[in-house]
Amino acid sequence: MFRQAKWSEPLIFELSVEGRRGFLVPEPEREIKEKVGSIRLSEDMARTTDPDLPELSEVDVIRHFTRLTEMAYGVDNGPVPLGSCTMKYNPRIAWEVASDPRILGLHPLQDEDTVQGLLEMIYEMQKWLANITGMDYCSLHPAAGAHGELAGILLIRKYHELKGQIDKKTEIIVPDSAHGTNPASAVMGGFKVVEIPSNSDGNVDLEALKSVVGESTAGLMITNPSTLGLFEENILEIARLIHSVDGLLYYDGANLNGIMGYARPGDMGFDIAHLNVHKTFGAPHGGGGPGAGPVCVKDRVVDAEKNIRLGDLLPGYYVIYDEKTGKYRLKAPGENSIGFLKAFFGNITPLIWGYTYILMMGNEGLKKVTELAVLNTNYFIKLMENVKGYEIPYGKGRFRKHEVVLSAQPMTEELGVTAEDVAKGLLDAGFYAPTVYFPLIVKEALMTEFTETETIENIEKYAERLKEISGIAYQDPKEPKKWPVNTPVGRIDLVKANHPSTVTPTWRLHLKRVRGEIK
């Protein structure tokens, strides 16, 4: 029987006791004082008040964070089947390499000759990711998936600007099954979003696409496999349509785990692709970040007269190998680049983690990742077929790739038991809930992805709990509304929790409310 830590752990500020110390800074030795003299900050740099820090002993801090870990759940505890947010196991050997002090101690401004080993790894990573995606060039500069998306959109914009057609290229087409960040990135890039529907097979509706493709089409953003877990069967025709009006085809790499080693976006007609190193290639995701979202491009001509190619538009620094000197060098972005999207090169730690993962897996290992991820998904589907209260919409009878979207709509219509209730029921049994209510085209969605690292036993236990939830719901529909009861925090009022007047992102804001400084 699952029981999570039941105490209500206070914030570390609430544990603070005035005057309590965990560490005493020693006074400088007399010889040092005599040699250095008195050191004082200038008035414009010195604080006027003490920093607002909690005051605790060392044992207070250790116990606080230990209790928090007992209340937390992560991939080290069990499955984290967040659909489209691949949460695979993070290999410890990759953590060890990425945490090597010889890497962590490096400074982004130190001489290139002193970081040749690191630059060589980055150079190889650029080549590997370009090869895996079927692209020609790859920038490791973007800091995360959505950042890579933005880079992709800015590349599309720059492409049309250099061709003198940005005034008419005003629209980005996005399927209704796309990730929510796709339309957001397109709007941030200054484009109008045109949404197209999916057909009953789960593919892009080609007739709808043909009706909106035109002179104003700047590009199309699409995930393949889609958030429904289905491979887009008409991708070559989609690429032909977009290219026929000089648009660019953008690949959202969040779901690469379902085709890696078997299919490449570049071979499908994509011009631009972003990847999530913090997902597909084993680096931690979410709170274990930071992330990395490399963006890769085909060697497509932008301006033949000026010899400008799509690779010239990539953001940030690019590592090149100088054959004359035998050295690796950082190449700064040129005049046609979209420039810097963040400081320095990029987020090195997840890149090194991903580098280690790829090196460790090799070609055959990466293919095996895809095989097992797809096998796990379709085994889970078999376990859930014909379970009362659930259904799998779109593409009936089609195999899924990396994930599957269950719908609790039958249970909702018959009993009033929702996807949220099902998710809470999973929490009560010690499982992590899947992504709920997404994609928006699936009512009462439970988007589930186990990845290649999950065991058959855990998949079976997960399916059994879903069946158990259905059984309880049909016996007593009121019972699921009480869940969760085995977690430190019960069900919260979502409206209140998300309202601007109650959201409290910082302790400083909390204190201002307590003092009546803000309402």
PDB file of all heavy atoms in Angstrom, residues 55 80 102 108 117 152 199 249 296 305 343 383 434:
ATOM      1  N   GLU A  55      17.591  31.599   8.797  1.00  0.00           N
ATOM      2  CA  GLU A  55      18.634  31.340   9.789  1.00  0.00           C
ATOM      3  C   GLU A  55      18.380  29.968  10.405  1.00  0.00           C
ATOM      4  O   GLU A  55      17.429  29.771  11.166  1.00  0.00           O
ATOM      5  CB  GLU A  55      18.621  32.438  10.861  1.00  0.00           C
ATOM      6  CG  GLU A  55      18.862  33.835  10.277  1.00  0.00           C
ATOM      7  CD  GLU A  55      18.797  34.937  11.329  1.00  0.00           C
ATOM      8  OE1 GLU A  55      19.659  34.935  12.243  1.00  0.00           O
ATOM      9  OE2 GLU A  55      17.886  35.773  11.250  1.00  0.00           O
ATOM     10  N   VAL A  80       7.613   7.904 -15.049  1.00  0.00           N
ATOM     11  CA  VAL A  80       7.092   9.262 -15.228  1.00  0.00           C
ATOM     12  C   VAL A  80       6.596   9.343 -16.673  1.00  0.00           C
ATOM     13  O   VAL A  80       7.273   9.866 -17.555  1.00  0.00           O
ATOM     14  CB  VAL A  80       8.160  10.328 -14.941  1.00  0.00           C
ATOM     15  CG1 VAL A  80       7.581  11.732 -15.094  1.00  0.00           C
ATOM     16  CG2 VAL A  80       8.735  10.159 -13.544  1.00  0.00           C
ATOM     17  N   ARG A 102      36.566  19.241 -13.938  1.00  0.00           N
ATOM     18  CA  ARG A 102      37.382  19.790 -15.032  1.00  0.00           C
ATOM     19  C   ARG A 102      36.504  20.437 -16.101  1.00  0.00           C
ATOM     20  O   ARG A 102      36.977  21.264 -16.885  1.00  0.00           O
ATOM     21  CB  ARG A 102      38.234  18.678 -15.653  1.00  0.00           C
ATOM     22  CG  ARG A 102      39.356  18.187 -14.739  1.00  0.00           C
ATOM     23  CD  ARG A 102      40.020  16.952 -15.305  1.00  0.00           C
ATOM     24  NE  ARG A 102      39.113  15.805 -15.330  1.00  0.00           N
ATOM     25  CZ  ARG A 102      39.455  14.591 -15.757  1.00  0.00           C
ATOM     26  NH1 ARG A 102      40.678  14.374 -16.206  1.00  0.00           N
ATOM     27  NH2 ARG A 102      38.571  13.617 -15.745  1.00  0.00           N
ATOM     28  N   PRO A 108      33.641  30.492 -19.696  1.00  0.00           N
ATOM     29  CA  PRO A 108      33.332  30.705 -21.120  1.00  0.00           C
ATOM     30  C   PRO A 108      34.258  31.676 -21.827  1.00  0.00           C
ATOM     31  O   PRO A 108      34.304  31.688 -23.060  1.00  0.00           O
ATOM     32  CB  PRO A 108      31.892  31.237 -21.087  1.00  0.00           C
ATOM     33  CG  PRO A 108      31.671  31.731 -19.698  1.00  0.00           C
ATOM     34  CD  PRO A 108      32.509  30.876 -18.815  1.00  0.00           C
ATOM     35  N   GLY A 117      39.565  19.879 -25.548  1.00  0.00           N
ATOM     36  CA  GLY A 117      38.801  18.653 -25.317  1.00  0.00           C
ATOM     37  C   GLY A 117      37.303  18.906 -25.351  1.00  0.00           C
ATOM     38  O   GLY A 117      36.538  18.155 -25.980  1.00  0.00           O
ATOM     39  N   GLY A 152      14.040  28.208 -34.559  1.00  0.00           N
ATOM     40  CA  GLY A 152      13.531  27.731 -35.841  1.00  0.00           C
ATOM     41  C   GLY A 152      12.641  28.743 -36.523  1.00  0.00           C
ATOM     42  O   GLY A 152      12.737  28.968 -37.745  1.00  0.00           O
ATOM     43  N   ASN A 199      -7.479  14.406 -39.575  1.00  0.00           N
ATOM     44  CA  ASN A 199      -8.600  13.579 -40.016  1.00  0.00           C
ATOM     45  C   ASN A 199      -8.799  12.403 -39.058  1.00  0.00           C
ATOM     46  O   ASN A 199      -8.058  12.267 -38.073  1.00  0.00           O
ATOM     47  CB  ASN A 199      -8.405  13.105 -41.465  1.00  0.00           C
ATOM     48  CG  ASN A 199      -7.139  12.268 -41.639  1.00  0.00           C
ATOM     49  OD1 ASN A 199      -6.662  11.625 -40.710  1.00  0.00           O
ATOM     50  ND2 ASN A 199      -6.590  12.276 -42.844  1.00  0.00           N
ATOM     51  N   LEU A 249       9.740  23.879 -43.979  1.00  0.00           N
ATOM     52  CA  LEU A 249       9.116  22.857 -43.135  1.00  0.00           C
ATOM     53  C   LEU A 249       9.948  22.685 -41.870  1.00  0.00           C
ATOM     54  O   LEU A 249      11.144  22.385 -41.937  1.00  0.00           O
ATOM     55  CB  LEU A 249       9.008  21.541 -43.895  1.00  0.00           C
ATOM     56  CG  LEU A 249       8.120  20.453 -43.285  1.00  0.00           C
ATOM     57  CD1 LEU A 249       6.670  20.933 -43.172  1.00  0.00           C
ATOM     58  CD2 LEU A 249       8.182  19.181 -44.125  1.00  0.00           C
ATOM     59  N   CYS A 296      18.891  22.273 -36.015  1.00  0.00           N
ATOM     60  CA  CYS A 296      19.649  21.805 -37.180  1.00  0.00           C
ATOM     61  C   CYS A 296      18.951  22.241 -38.469  1.00  0.00           C
ATOM     62  O   CYS A 296      17.731  22.394 -38.488  1.00  0.00           O
ATOM     63  CB  CYS A 296      19.774  20.284 -37.154  1.00  0.00           C
ATOM     64  SG  CYS A 296      20.407  19.612 -35.601  1.00  0.00           S
ATOM     65  N   GLU A 305      23.210  34.316 -55.467  1.00  0.00           N
ATOM     66  CA  GLU A 305      24.161  35.343 -55.892  1.00  0.00           C
ATOM     67  C   GLU A 305      25.143  35.693 -54.775  1.00  0.00           C
ATOM     68  O   GLU A 305      26.336  35.847 -55.006  1.00  0.00           O
ATOM     69  CB  GLU A 305      23.416  36.605 -56.345  1.00  0.00           C
ATOM     70  CG  GLU A 305      22.727  36.458 -57.685  1.00  0.00           C
ATOM     71  CD  GLU A 305      22.139  37.775 -58.168  1.00  0.00           C
ATOM     72  OE1 GLU A 305      22.491  38.835 -57.601  1.00  0.00           O
ATOM     73  OE2 GLU A 305      21.323  37.749 -59.110  1.00  0.00           O
ATOM     74  N   ALA A 343      23.552  34.136 -23.592  1.00  0.00           N
ATOM     75  CA  ALA A 343      24.958  34.462 -23.426  1.00  0.00           C
ATOM     76  C   ALA A 343      25.846  33.277 -23.799  1.00  0.00           C
ATOM     77  O   ALA A 343      25.480  32.121 -23.618  1.00  0.00           O
ATOM     78  CB  ALA A 343      25.234  34.874 -21.973  1.00  0.00           C
ATOM     79  N   LEU A 383      -2.850  -3.857 -23.358  1.00  0.00           N
ATOM     80  CA  LEU A 383      -3.359  -4.054 -22.002  1.00  0.00           C
ATOM     81  C   LEU A 383      -4.621  -3.236 -21.747  1.00  0.00           C
ATOM     82  O   LEU A 383      -5.470  -3.629 -20.935  1.00  0.00           O
ATOM     83  CB  LEU A 383      -2.283  -3.673 -20.976  1.00  0.00           C
ATOM     84  CG  LEU A 383      -1.021  -4.535 -20.931  1.00  0.00           C
ATOM     85  CD1 LEU A 383      -0.004  -3.928 -19.963  1.00  0.00           C
ATOM     86  CD2 LEU A 383      -1.349  -5.970 -20.519  1.00  0.00           C
ATOM     87  N   PRO A 434      -0.047  10.762 -16.084  1.00  0.00           N
ATOM     88  CA  PRO A 434       0.362  11.175 -17.437  1.00  0.00           C
ATOM     89  C   PRO A 434      -0.023  12.628 -17.684  1.00  0.00           C
ATOM     90  O   PRO A 434      -0.640  13.277 -16.831  1.00  0.00           O
ATOM     91  CB  PRO A 434      -0.446  10.231 -18.338  1.00  0.00           C
ATOM     92  CG  PRO A 434      -1.689   9.966 -17.555  1.00  0.00           C
ATOM     93  CD  PRO A 434      -1.259   9.920 -16.112  1.00  0.00           C
TER      94      PRO A 434
END
